[in-house]
Amino acid sequence: LAEHNMPFATHGRTDAGLTHPFHDFDNEAFAHQAVEKLVGRGRKRIALLQPPSKLTYYTHMRIGFQTGLHDYGAEEVPLRVTIDNTLEEIRNAVEVMMRAPNAPDGIVCSAGSAAIAVNAGIEAAGKHLGRDVDMVSKESAPILNWIRPEIITAYEDVRHAGREMAKAVIARIDGIEPELLQSISQPVWSRKGQ
């Protein structure tokens, strides 16, 4: 598209080596704030269910998570699956992790649908959300608190992202320079996460 001077915008930043319009969610801020919220609840051993490393936002998520661990004095409990694994694989991996002697007391989940599988793994291990472990999850549809009010949620407004991308494409058609058409949304925390 860039080679043919076709106006476009992406949902998320890229590492393509070109300046282009985009709208993104601040995954670095989300992960950092998620660690802060868990540590604020007394959690110190935190696992991250992250995106796969092939996606650009993996790097943003990891930077925010690692910085949060450092800033708030917590440690990472490795989780060997990503949000690209099946829900069953995520559930099973979380169950194994939660049965281990070094189980986390906090989990950050980078996708709402995966949070349902994480919750199922916690329950399968005989642990209780909000008592034995707290979870923070990003979500693009406000449903997690209907399932488990104990989940601390941050809302990623994909409709807003679509509007921002549409405005960017129209502005690019009108000749606005691409570096002026880049925006990033901040996490919007549920009342429980305040």
Side-chain angles (χ1 to χ4, degrees), residues 49 79-97 113-122 124:
L49 180 59
L79 183 54
R80 305 282 181 224
V81 290
T82 72
I83 61 170
D84 262 11
N85 286 89
T86 67
L87 294 179
E88 184 176 3
E89 290 167 339
I90 293 168
R91 179 228 171 266
N92 293 341
V94 170
E95 180 183 359
V96 168
M97 179 180 69
S113 59
I116 296 168
V118 170
N119 180 67
I122 290 168

Side-chain angles (χ1 to χ4, degrees), residues 1 9 13 17 30 34 42 66 81-82 84 93 121 126 134 139 162-163 174 177 184 192:
L1 294 173
R13 291 165 273 182
F30 162 74
Q66 292 293 332
V81 290
T82 72
D84 262 11
D134 280 310
E139 65 179 349
R163 287 189 298 272
D174 289 341
E177 292 301 315
I184 300 174
K192 179 152 182 77

Side-chain angles (χ1 to χ4, degrees), residues 28 31-36 39 43-46 61-77 108:
E28 184 175 338
H32 189 271
Q33 292 169 18
V35 171
E36 178 184 23
V39 171
R43 307 309 186 176
K44 292 289 188 181
R45 298 180 43 72
I46 303 173
M61 186 80 64
R62 288 297 309 170
I63 290 169
F65 184 71
Q66 292 293 332
T67 304
L69 293 176
H70 177 267
D71 289 351
Y72 302 110
E75 65 178 295
E76 181 173 8
V77 177
V108 177

